[in-house]
Amino acid sequence: MSHIVTVQDAVTAFADWIEPTDAELDAIEQEMPVVQADIELLDAQIITLDRIPTEMDTRRLRRARRRALAARVSLANRTAGAALPGGAA
């Protein structure tokens, strides 16, 4: 018995248009500090899921929240400065 399957995915899986462009890779690179700060915050939150947070856990959460917020503010300032003509923010 011969199975009929489509080969569209196999043919187009390696097409040039599927790969991220240089601009997309640059955007991802700019956002990496925010992603890493969010991961640290999520890790701190996961630690406290199954127990009552200790003073150390509370500090860890507070620091992680501050880092995440600082990373987001930094990214917003960079993108706002890049969007304005002349680089003035």
Side-chain angles (χ1 to χ4, degrees):
M1 179 191 286
S2 177
H3 295 287
I4 299 173
V5 295
T6 61
V7 293
Q8 181 69 26
D9 290 336
V11 171
T12 59
F14 301 105
D16 291 337
W17 54 269
I18 291 180
E19 295 295 320
T21 64
D22 289 338
E24 292 171 333
L25 290 174
D26 289 340
I28 292 170
E29 187 68 30
Q30 285 183 352
E31 292 176 4
M32 278 310 290
V34 174
V35 172
Q36 290 171 340
D38 285 344
I39 289 171
E40 289 176 16
L41 176 58
L42 189 59
D43 286 342
Q45 291 171 338
I46 289 171
I47 288 171
T48 62
L49 281 178
D50 62 346
R51 64 178 185 200
I52 298 172
T54 63
E55 181 65 29
M56 184 67 89
D57 293 333
T58 305
R59 289 179 188 173
R60 184 179 295 125
L61 278 168
R62 190 170 45 238
R63 281 194 307 265
R65 282 188 190 113
R66 287 180 184 165
R67 284 188 200 122
L69 182 59
R72 289 182 184 278
V73 167
S74 176
L75 178 65
N77 287 339
R78 278 193 309 246
T79 56
L84 293 175

